[in-house]
Amino acid sequence: MTIEFKPLSFSLGAEVLGLKIKDSPSKEQIELVRAGFLKYGILLFRDQHISREQHIGFSKLFGELDQHESLPRDRHPDYSELLMVTNEPKPNGMPSDSKYTGQVWHSDMSFTLAPAMGSILRSIKVPSVGGDTMFSNMTLAYEKLSKGMQNLISDLHGVHTSARKIIDLSQDRIDETKKLIPPVAQPIVRIHPETGKKALYIGEKVKSFVGMTEDESKPLIDYLCRHASKPQFVYRHQWQANELLFWDNRCTMHLALGDYDESEIRHLERTTILGTPSGYVLQ
Ligand code: SIN
Protein backbone atom coordinates (compact mmCIF):
# COMPACT_ATOMS: atom_id res chain seq x y z
CA MET A 1 0.00 0.00 0.00
CA THR A 2 1.32 3.47 -0.81
CA ILE A 3 1.84 6.00 1.93
CA GLU A 4 0.18 9.38 1.72
CA PHE A 5 0.50 12.49 3.85
CA LYS A 6 -2.55 14.59 4.70
CA PRO A 7 -1.59 17.99 6.21
CA LEU A 8 -2.99 18.66 9.68
CA SER A 9 -2.57 22.44 9.78
CA PHE A 10 -1.07 25.30 7.79
CA SER A 11 2.11 25.47 9.84
CA LEU A 12 3.07 21.86 10.56
CA GLY A 13 1.99 18.26 10.89
CA ALA A 14 0.58 15.60 8.60
CA GLU A 15 -1.40 12.43 9.07
CA VAL A 16 0.22 9.34 7.56
CA LEU A 17 -2.25 7.27 5.58
CA GLY A 18 -1.64 3.72 4.39
CA LEU A 19 0.72 2.43 7.06
CA LYS A 20 -0.01 -0.18 9.72
CA ILE A 21 2.84 -0.30 12.19
CA LYS A 22 1.97 -3.81 13.33
CA ASP A 23 2.53 -5.10 9.77
CA SER A 24 6.29 -4.36 9.99
CA PRO A 25 6.76 -1.49 7.50
CA SER A 26 9.19 -2.05 4.63
CA LYS A 27 12.46 -0.15 4.19
CA GLU A 28 10.88 1.92 1.42
CA GLN A 29 7.96 2.83 3.65
CA ILE A 30 10.29 3.89 6.45
CA GLU A 31 12.26 6.08 4.03
CA LEU A 32 9.01 7.79 3.01
CA VAL A 33 8.08 8.29 6.68
CA ARG A 34 11.51 9.82 7.30
CA ALA A 35 11.08 12.23 4.41
CA GLY A 36 7.59 13.17 5.65
CA PHE A 37 8.97 13.69 9.17
CA LEU A 38 11.54 16.18 7.84
CA LYS A 39 8.95 17.94 5.71
CA TYR A 40 6.07 18.23 8.20
CA GLY A 41 7.79 18.18 11.63
CA ILE A 42 5.03 16.03 13.15
CA LEU A 43 3.48 12.83 11.85
CA LEU A 44 0.24 11.34 13.11
CA PHE A 45 -0.56 7.63 12.83
CA ARG A 46 -4.18 6.86 13.74
CA ASP A 47 -5.78 3.52 14.66
CA GLN A 48 -2.56 1.74 15.55
CA HIS A 49 -3.39 -1.15 17.86
CA ILE A 50 0.13 -2.11 18.85
CA SER A 51 1.99 -3.52 21.85
CA ARG A 52 4.75 -1.85 23.86
CA GLU A 53 7.31 -4.00 22.05
CA GLN A 54 5.97 -2.86 18.68
CA HIS A 55 6.08 0.78 19.80
CA ILE A 56 9.73 0.36 20.80
CA GLY A 57 10.59 -1.63 17.66
CA PHE A 58 9.04 0.99 15.36
CA SER A 59 10.85 3.82 17.18
CA LYS A 60 14.22 2.06 16.81
CA LEU A 61 13.88 2.27 13.03
CA PHE A 62 14.61 6.00 13.36
CA GLY A 63 17.60 5.94 15.73
CA GLU A 64 18.99 4.95 19.09
CA LEU A 65 16.51 5.24 21.95
CA ASP A 66 17.03 7.15 25.17
CA GLN A 67 16.94 4.92 28.26
CA HIS A 68 15.66 7.92 30.25
CA GLU A 69 18.43 7.78 32.88
CA SER A 70 17.74 11.40 33.81
CA LEU A 71 14.06 10.69 34.52
CA PRO A 72 14.19 7.36 36.38
CA ARG A 73 10.87 7.91 38.18
CA ASP A 74 8.99 8.35 34.91
CA ARG A 75 10.26 5.21 33.16
CA HIS A 76 8.11 2.18 32.66
CA PRO A 77 9.29 -0.36 35.29
CA ASP A 78 9.90 -3.06 32.67
CA TYR A 79 10.84 -0.98 29.62
CA SER A 80 13.44 1.74 30.14
CA GLU A 81 12.79 2.97 26.58
CA LEU A 82 9.28 4.01 27.58
CA LEU A 83 8.58 7.21 29.46
CA MET A 84 5.20 7.21 31.14
CA VAL A 85 3.02 10.27 30.78
CA THR A 86 0.15 9.39 33.04
CA ASN A 87 -2.12 10.77 35.73
CA GLU A 88 -2.94 7.26 36.91
CA PRO A 89 -2.20 7.18 40.67
CA LYS A 90 0.54 4.82 41.90
CA PRO A 91 -0.52 1.45 43.36
CA ASN A 92 -0.08 2.98 46.87
CA GLY A 93 -2.58 5.71 45.99
CA MET A 94 0.03 8.48 45.70
CA PRO A 95 -0.20 10.80 42.65
CA SER A 96 1.77 9.82 39.57
CA ASP A 97 5.21 11.48 39.18
CA SER A 98 4.41 12.30 35.56
CA LYS A 99 0.99 13.84 36.19
CA TYR A 100 2.17 17.26 35.00
CA THR A 101 4.71 16.15 32.38
CA GLY A 102 4.95 18.50 29.44
CA GLN A 103 2.72 21.24 30.82
CA VAL A 104 5.09 24.04 29.77
CA TRP A 105 6.27 24.82 26.23
CA HIS A 106 9.42 22.77 25.67
CA SER A 107 11.47 20.57 23.39
CA ASP A 108 12.14 17.10 24.82
CA MET A 109 15.32 16.54 26.82
CA SER A 110 16.64 20.05 26.03
CA PHE A 111 18.22 19.93 29.52
CA THR A 112 20.56 17.11 28.46
CA LEU A 113 23.69 16.99 26.30
CA ALA A 114 21.99 14.93 23.61
CA PRO A 115 18.58 16.60 23.30
CA ALA A 116 15.99 14.40 21.67
CA MET A 117 15.92 14.17 17.89
CA GLY A 118 12.40 12.78 17.89
CA SER A 119 9.72 11.58 20.25
CA ILE A 120 6.99 9.04 19.54
CA LEU A 121 4.04 9.36 21.91
CA ARG A 122 1.39 6.62 21.95
CA SER A 123 -2.05 7.27 23.40
CA ILE A 124 -3.41 4.41 25.48
CA LYS A 125 -6.21 6.07 27.48
CA VAL A 126 -7.39 9.62 26.92
CA PRO A 127 -9.99 11.77 28.66
CA SER A 128 -13.39 12.16 27.00
CA VAL A 129 -12.58 15.81 26.31
CA GLY A 130 -9.42 17.96 26.71
CA GLY A 131 -5.84 16.95 27.43
CA ASP A 132 -4.76 18.05 23.95
CA THR A 133 -1.14 18.69 22.94
CA MET A 134 -0.08 21.84 21.08
CA PHE A 135 2.93 21.97 18.76
CA SER A 136 4.73 24.92 17.25
CA ASN A 137 6.86 25.19 14.12
CA MET A 138 10.11 26.75 15.37
CA THR A 139 11.65 27.10 11.90
CA LEU A 140 8.76 29.25 10.74
CA ALA A 141 8.78 31.15 14.04
CA TYR A 142 12.48 31.91 13.54
CA GLU A 143 12.01 32.95 9.91
CA LYS A 144 9.23 35.38 10.86
CA LEU A 145 11.43 37.30 13.29
CA SER A 146 12.89 40.57 12.02
CA LYS A 147 16.51 40.51 10.83
CA GLY A 148 17.32 42.75 13.81
CA MET A 149 15.95 40.21 16.29
CA GLN A 150 17.60 37.31 14.43
CA ASN A 151 20.94 39.14 14.76
CA LEU A 152 20.34 39.97 18.42
CA ILE A 153 19.74 36.35 19.41
CA SER A 154 22.22 34.70 17.06
CA ASP A 155 24.95 34.14 19.67
CA LEU A 156 22.80 33.70 22.77
CA HIS A 157 22.72 30.48 24.77
CA GLY A 158 19.77 29.59 26.98
CA VAL A 159 20.09 27.88 30.37
CA HIS A 160 17.73 24.88 30.27
CA THR A 161 16.44 23.15 33.39
CA SER A 162 14.12 20.19 33.80
CA ALA A 163 11.60 22.53 35.46
CA ARG A 164 8.10 21.17 35.72
CA LYS A 165 5.45 21.14 38.35
CA ILE A 166 6.39 18.21 40.56
CA ILE A 167 4.26 16.43 43.05
CA ASP A 168 6.86 15.92 45.75
CA LEU A 169 8.71 19.10 46.74
CA SER A 170 10.73 17.57 49.57
CA GLN A 171 14.39 18.62 49.90
CA ASP A 172 15.44 15.06 48.94
CA ARG A 173 13.55 15.32 45.69
CA ILE A 174 14.96 18.77 44.90
CA ASP A 175 18.51 17.47 45.58
CA GLU A 176 17.87 14.38 43.46
CA THR A 177 16.73 16.52 40.51
CA LYS A 178 19.74 18.86 40.83
CA LYS A 179 22.12 15.90 40.83
CA LEU A 180 20.49 14.06 37.94
CA ILE A 181 19.81 17.14 35.86
CA PRO A 182 22.26 20.02 36.26
CA PRO A 183 21.44 23.11 34.12
CA VAL A 184 22.61 22.84 30.52
CA ALA A 185 23.29 25.69 28.07
CA GLN A 186 21.97 25.37 24.52
CA PRO A 187 22.11 27.79 21.58
CA ILE A 188 18.89 29.81 21.15
CA VAL A 189 19.16 29.29 17.40
CA ARG A 190 20.01 25.78 16.29
CA ILE A 191 20.75 24.52 12.80
CA HIS A 192 18.77 21.43 11.96
CA PRO A 193 21.39 18.76 11.21
CA GLU A 194 19.34 17.23 8.37
CA THR A 195 17.53 20.14 6.69
CA GLY A 196 20.21 22.76 7.42
CA LYS A 197 17.46 25.24 8.40
CA LYS A 198 17.72 27.52 11.42
CA ALA A 199 15.12 27.11 14.16
CA LEU A 200 14.43 28.82 17.47
CA TYR A 201 15.38 26.65 20.43
CA ILE A 202 13.55 28.26 23.30
CA GLY A 203 10.80 27.32 25.72
CA GLU A 204 9.56 27.78 29.25
CA LYS A 205 12.35 25.57 30.63
CA VAL A 206 14.87 28.27 29.67
CA LYS A 207 15.51 30.24 32.83
CA SER A 208 18.07 32.79 31.59
CA PHE A 209 20.67 33.49 28.94
CA VAL A 210 24.28 32.57 29.67
CA GLY A 211 26.09 35.63 31.10
CA MET A 212 22.86 37.41 32.07
CA THR A 213 20.67 37.42 35.18
CA GLU A 214 17.21 35.87 35.23
CA ASP A 215 15.68 39.36 35.56
CA GLU A 216 17.57 40.62 32.54
CA SER A 217 16.77 37.53 30.46
CA LYS A 218 13.09 37.09 31.28
CA PRO A 219 11.55 39.76 29.01
CA LEU A 220 13.27 38.38 25.92
CA ILE A 221 12.59 34.73 26.84
CA ASP A 222 8.93 35.59 27.39
CA TYR A 223 8.76 37.47 24.11
CA LEU A 224 10.32 34.61 22.13
CA CYS A 225 8.01 32.02 23.74
CA ARG A 226 4.96 34.22 23.06
CA HIS A 227 6.08 34.81 19.49
CA ALA A 228 6.76 31.13 18.78
CA SER A 229 3.41 30.00 20.20
CA LYS A 230 1.29 32.37 18.10
CA PRO A 231 -1.67 30.54 16.51
CA GLN A 232 -0.20 30.83 13.00
CA PHE A 233 2.75 28.62 14.01
CA VAL A 234 0.71 26.07 15.98
CA TYR A 235 -1.10 22.75 15.51
CA ARG A 236 -3.34 21.52 18.34
CA HIS A 237 -3.81 17.78 18.55
CA GLN A 238 -6.99 16.31 20.06
CA TRP A 239 -6.10 12.79 21.10
CA GLN A 240 -8.01 9.59 20.41
CA ALA A 241 -6.80 6.28 21.87
CA ASN A 242 -4.36 4.18 19.79
CA GLU A 243 -2.63 7.03 18.04
CA LEU A 244 1.06 7.74 17.66
CA LEU A 245 2.48 11.20 17.20
CA PHE A 246 6.07 11.38 15.99
CA TRP A 247 7.61 14.86 16.28
CA ASP A 248 10.93 16.46 15.46
CA ASN A 249 12.26 18.14 18.61
CA ARG A 250 14.91 20.01 16.61
CA CYS A 251 12.39 22.27 14.90
CA THR A 252 9.23 22.09 17.03
CA MET A 253 8.26 22.69 20.65
CA HIS A 254 5.14 21.41 22.38
CA LEU A 255 2.85 21.83 25.37
CA ALA A 256 0.53 19.32 27.07
CA LEU A 257 -2.70 20.97 28.17
CA GLY A 258 -3.97 20.09 31.62
CA ASP A 259 -7.53 21.08 30.73
CA TYR A 260 -9.36 17.86 31.48
CA ASP A 261 -11.31 16.21 34.25
CA GLU A 262 -8.63 14.79 36.56
CA SER A 263 -10.88 11.94 37.62
CA GLU A 264 -10.48 10.58 34.07
CA ILE A 265 -7.31 8.75 33.06
CA ARG A 266 -4.88 10.24 30.55
CA HIS A 267 -2.22 7.63 29.90
CA LEU A 268 0.35 7.96 27.13
CA GLU A 269 3.78 6.39 26.69
CA ARG A 270 6.71 7.94 24.87
CA THR A 271 9.88 6.72 23.26
CA THR A 272 12.63 9.30 22.82
CA ILE A 273 15.11 9.09 19.94
CA LEU A 274 18.53 10.47 20.82
CA GLY A 275 19.76 13.50 18.93
CA THR A 276 23.25 14.75 18.17
CA PRO A 277 25.37 16.22 21.00
CA SER A 278 24.58 19.83 21.81
CA GLY A 279 25.22 22.27 24.63
CA TYR A 280 27.34 22.15 27.77
CA VAL A 281 26.82 21.74 31.50
CA LEU A 282 26.89 24.86 33.67
CA GLN A 283 28.34 24.57 37.15
C1 SIN B 1 5.57 15.29 26.45
O1 SIN B 1 5.93 16.44 26.69
O2 SIN B 1 6.34 14.47 25.99
C2 SIN B 1 4.15 14.87 26.76
C3 SIN B 1 3.17 15.58 25.94
C4 SIN B 1 1.75 15.26 26.31
O3 SIN B 1 1.51 14.61 27.33
O4 SIN B 1 0.84 15.67 25.60
Side-chain angles (χ1 to χ4, degrees), residues 85 101-102 106 108 121 132-133 239 247 254 256 266 268 270:
V85 182
T101 291
H106 68 286
D108 289 331
L121 188 61
D132 301 349
T133 309
W239 289 97
W247 64 83
H254 59 282
R266 183 180 190 273
L268 301 98
R270 190 185 92 199

